[in-house]
Amino acid sequence: MSKPGRSQEPERHLEASGPHTGGSQAPSAGGHTGGRAGGRATGWPPSGSRVPRGRPRRTVEGGAPGSPGAPRRTRVRTWSAAGRRENGWHRRPALERVEAASLEEGMRLRVIFLILMGVILAIAVSDVLAGAVGVLRETRARPLTPAEQARYIQEDIAARWHTWSADLIFPTELQYVALGRAQQYARRIGLAPETSCGAGLDAPVGSVLSEHGCLTLLRATYVDQTSTFVVTVGVAVLGSEDRRIAATGQLPVDDRVGVRPVAFPGTAGELFGAAQRQHNSWIAAGPYVVLSTAGYADGRTREAVPPEEILHSELWPTAQSIAGRIARALGDEPSAVPQCTQGNVC
């Protein structure tokens, strides 16, 4: 049996109640209504029943609001998808601001990097262009100035001792003038190994030249056309003409010292040694000091010749002529001096 005043099908009653204002069904005549203020029914849901959580109660609409039979409309806050999206939109501006700030910082750093790279590239390009212009200016043909021509001549002369062959420095034959102005030829009988100025010169001379930067000493021995006289010629190489001038200003005035003679066995000069020297001298040419010493091929010593005896009149002129020819060849200006930096065409 059903109890008076309670509907046997409450769910159907609710479903039947529509949204229309007049479509609600009046409560039973004999039913009693429960009683809190506001007309809220106390009999629903039935005691012992369970209402699923999270599910809003459905209200019955119908009847005039406030009427005894009209149920109270329950307000339930719904979380629709639109509401969730709207809630996310409240956080979106902050994220967008962070992303915008990060993007702006990246763009700023990129601009700074590009500016720096542009400056570096501009400097590099300007340096390359300046270097290219300088190279073109230096390498293009132009007339040599008088100072450049003089420097070319000095450098050419100073390099001859190692750029020339031995036959150019010490020719195999050298012409000289004998008595009666007869043209005769001296013959080279041997070339000595290259040595230092201290080893190939007497100490008073070698020490002075070594102090002024003597680089090396070249020597060769000649005999006259009659094989009567023997002459050893030495070429002392100094670094520059200025050093040579300073060195020759301090050389001792003594014809007993100078270049040491070099004898070659099996030749006309095999007996020519330090004791056989009769006279010593030197002549300057550019950065060179050309020294000579002369004696007799028969081995006659200096002490063997009495002071009152006059040496052979051709001995000393022959030695001077041979040394002079070698010095002039080393110190003469080159036959062709370039007029331009690249030959003679500017």
Side-chain angles (χ1 to χ4, degrees):
M1 280 181 75
S2 63
K3 294 182 181 182
R6 180 175 293 184
S7 172
Q8 298 296 323
E9 295 179 353
E11 293 182 1
R12 291 181 181 179
H13 173 73
L14 293 175
E15 290 176 359
S17 304
H20 304 286
T21 57
S24 61
Q25 189 175 1
S28 303
H32 47 269
T33 61
R36 286 188 187 178
R40 186 174 182 180
T42 60
W44 183 262
S47 63
S49 64
R50 300 179 64 183
V51 179
R53 289 185 179 179
R55 234 172 151 181
R57 294 178 181 178
R58 304 181 70 178
T59 58
V60 179
E61 296 182 359
S67 62
R72 184 178 179 182
R73 182 176 299 177
T74 304
R75 294 187 179 182
V76 179
R77 185 176 182 180
T78 60
W79 294 91
S80 62
R84 288 194 296 270
R85 288 196 301 270
E86 183 179 357
N87 190 31
W89 287 344
H90 288 294
R91 296 191 300 270
R92 187 172 182 181
L95 294 175
E96 290 180 351
R97 287 194 296 272
V98 173
E99 293 177 355
S102 177
L103 181 61
E104 183 179 356
E105 180 68 14
M107 292 296 293
R108 186 173 64 85
L109 293 177
R110 183 177 180 183
V111 170
I112 293 174
F113 173 77
L114 292 177
I115 292 175
L116 290 176
M117 291 301 296
V119 172
I120 293 172
L121 289 176
I123 294 174
V125 170
S126 62
D127 290 343
V128 171
L129 291 177
V133 172
V135 169
L136 290 175
R137 289 179 178 176
E138 291 296 327
T139 57
R140 69 180 181 180
R142 60 175 179 80
L144 288 175
T145 63
E148 290 174 334
Q149 290 181 341
R151 184 168 62 251
Y152 172 86
I153 294 172
Q154 292 176 358
E155 292 175 353
D156 181 83
I157 294 173
R160 288 175 182 174
W161 70 273
H162 63 84
T163 58
W164 282 11
S165 65
D167 290 340
L168 283 177
I169 298 174
F170 299 111
T172 56
E173 287 188 348
L174 284 173
Q175 185 179 12
Y176 67 94
V177 179
L179 290 176
R181 303 190 64 84
Q183 300 293 324
Q184 296 188 5
Y185 291 89
R187 178 173 50 90
R188 189 186 73 193
I189 61 174
L191 289 169
E194 184 178 339
T195 186
S196 65
C197 289
L201 301 173
D202 293 320
V205 178
S207 60
V208 172
L209 296 182
S210 298
E211 289 176 0
H212 289 83
C214 183
L215 301 176
T216 189
L217 179 68
L218 310 176
R219 290 180 295 174
T221 299
Y222 290 84
V223 294
D224 70 328
Q225 189 167 330
T226 63
S227 297
T228 304
F229 311 128
V230 185
V231 179
T232 294
V233 179
V235 177
V237 181
L238 282 84
S240 65
E241 188 171 357
D242 293 336
R243 291 183 179 181
R244 190 271 306 163
I245 293 173
T248 52
Q250 298 179 12
L251 288 178
V253 182
D254 188 352
D255 66 350
R256 294 173 298 176
V257 295
V259 62
R260 293 177 179 174
V262 182
F264 294 92
T267 65
E270 61 181 350
L271 300 178
F272 186 53
Q276 283 72 37
R277 293 183 297 180
Q278 302 295 326
H279 197 76
N280 293 274
S281 67
W282 59 267
I283 183 173
Y288 307 106
V289 179
V290 181
L291 304 102
S292 62
T293 184
Y296 293 103
D298 58 6
R300 193 183 318 174
T301 64
R302 186 181 179 100
E303 287 76 11
V305 179
E308 65 274 7
E309 182 179 340
I310 301 175
L311 296 175
H312 197 289
S313 57
E314 293 186 15
L315 174 62
W316 186 233
T318 300
Q320 285 184 318
S321 179
I322 294 172
R325 291 290 302 271
I326 293 173
R328 284 193 298 272
L330 286 171
D332 281 348
E333 293 186 1
S335 58
V337 178
Q339 302 299 316
C340 303
T341 56
Q342 297 181 4
N344 292 321
V345 179
C346 298

